[in-house]
Amino acid sequence: MSAHVYKILELTGSSPAGIEDAVSTAIAKASETVRNMQWFEVVETRGHIEDGKVAHWQVTVKVGFTLE
């Protein structure tokens, strides 16, 4: 296995459906322009409340990708 150098990008995805969907949304959008993404770390989770219920999720992730 060769040595890798990673760059870290911070993203925030949102979704009314849930935490996993918010993460997937952020990663899918980043994959349109960022190559070689290898891992992610959830660093913050928050949401919006309407009428006493969770209405919307926001999840901030750090994404590591290898440099070419």
Side-chain angles (χ1 to χ4, degrees):
M1 180 176 194
S2 61
H4 292 98
V5 174
Y6 294 94
K7 181 154 180 73
I8 297 173
L9 172 65
E10 190 169 277
L11 308 167
T12 300
S14 62
S15 172
I19 294 168
E20 289 183 23
D21 193 52
V23 171
S24 294
T25 298
I27 291 173
K29 185 63 176 175
S31 72
E32 293 176 10
T33 57
V34 179
R35 295 185 308 271
N36 303 321
M37 291 190 295
Q38 301 293 321
W39 54 268
F40 72 91
E41 171 189 2
V42 175
V43 294
E44 185 174 26
T45 304
R46 62 187 169 273
H48 177 74
I49 300 168
E50 285 184 9
D51 299 322
K53 297 179 183 176
V54 175
H56 204 86
W57 293 93
Q58 285 187 332
V59 181
T60 300
V61 294
K62 289 183 179 180
V63 176
F65 60 97
T66 54
L67 297 176
E68 294 178 347

